[in-house]
Amino acid sequence: MHIDILTLFPPMVESFFTSSIMSRAVERKLVSYNIVNFRDFASDRHRTCDDVPYGGGAGMVLKPEPLYAALESIGAGDKRVIFPSPSGKLFTQSYAEELSREENLVFICGHYEGLDQRVIDTYVDDEISIGDYVLSSGESATTVIIDAIYRLLDGVINSESLADESFSSSLLEYPQYTRPERYCTKSVPDVLLSGHHERIATWRVFRKLEKTMLSRPEVLAQASLDLEERRRLIDLINEIKG
Ligand code: ADE
């Protein structure tokens, strides 16, 4: 997958591509990226990228000319262009899965009050919100979205870990423990030390249901549960009822 990021603050996204799992994905050529400072495409003496909104109002708006030029320079017309914005469609795991099937993605990072609507109308395919709150920079939303996408690409993370994690089965993840067996008066649940794979699997389903029910009841209401999960849900409800 190739990712272009248009930003006025390249260092905010550079570190994401040069650290941790992403840097390995880049080294192994599973991901390539191109960070474009669209200020380089502003043509006036002061390299202006924003201006006051027509019709009045607070804040500034990103001007169309530098962005049109930057987008043309990377051939954005043939690529899926994403504008992270609090007014966009809500980002979810299934949205990440859909985007992970693209060969090319382009992100436009906003920083001010908004982006001239003509840029959105001409180039943007997806306006995406990462949640119902407002961030001061599109760069952080962009790296959140990229993070959820690239880790789904073949070879980035082993497929067993992906299958096990929250949302992949529409439930939240079960709790995990590692050595030592006892720490600060707290012990690892006995079942995990038992070596009994079936009992461990049942315990994990139980804990997933419990966690989802307590933390995200609306996720549980929409989950498509398999037979084992439905059985454990009934057990859990009976246990709660006492
Ligand atoms: N930019 C500012 N806030 C945002 C949000 N919640 N989601 C995506 N982009 C944003």
Side-chain angles (χ1 to χ4, degrees), residues 1-5 17 22 29-34 74-76 78-82 95-107 125-126 146 149-150 153-154:
M1 171 180 280
H2 180 76
I3 305 172
D4 295 288
I5 301 119
F17 284 94
M22 176 56 107
K29 302 198 184 324
L30 302 171
V31 175
S32 56
Y33 68 100
N34 172 33
I74 56 160
D78 300 322
K79 297 178 177 179
R80 188 143 173 193
V81 178
I82 296 165
Y95 209 156
E97 279 159 16
E98 188 208 320
L99 293 173
S100 73
R101 291 190 277 275
E102 296 286 339
E103 286 283 306
N104 285 285
L105 292 175
V106 178
F107 288 84
D125 299 295
D126 302 70
I146 295 172
I149 295 168
Y150 91 95
L153 300 177
D154 276 350

Side-chain angles (χ1 to χ4, degrees), residues 16-141:
F16 177 72
F17 284 94
T18 52
S19 315
S20 188
I21 302 170
M22 176 56 107
S23 71
R24 269 187 283 140
V26 171
E27 257 169 47
R28 289 158 61 202
K29 302 198 184 324
L30 302 171
V31 175
S32 56
Y33 68 100
N34 172 33
I35 299 174
V36 178
N37 186 340
F38 57 88
R39 195 176 296 285
D40 294 341
F41 292 84
S43 51
D44 67 317
R45 201 155 54 90
H46 301 290
R47 301 204 301 158
T48 312
C49 287
D50 61 332
D51 208 337
V52 295
Y54 274 120
M60 301 292 271
V61 177
L62 287 170
K63 289 166 66 59
E65 310 93 309
L67 276 163
Y68 266 61
L71 286 159
E72 281 306 313
S73 80
I74 56 160
D78 300 322
K79 297 178 177 179
R80 188 143 173 193
V81 178
I82 296 165
F83 173 49
S85 137
S87 335
K89 261 172 63 181
L90 189 64
F91 192 53
T92 59
Q93 187 65 23
S94 56
Y95 209 156
E97 279 159 16
E98 188 208 320
L99 293 173
S100 73
R101 291 190 277 275
E102 296 286 339
E103 286 283 306
N104 285 285
L105 292 175
V106 178
F107 288 84
I108 303 174
C109 304
H111 237 269
Y112 302 97
E113 203 59 27
L115 172 59
D116 188 288
Q117 186 61 34
R118 289 165 290 190
V119 179
I120 298 175
D121 294 343
T122 309
Y123 288 101
V124 172
D125 299 295
D126 302 70
E127 202 171 336
I128 298 180
S129 165
I130 61 164
D132 291 338
Y133 41 80
V134 179
L135 303 168
S136 54
S137 83
E139 282 78 5
S140 27

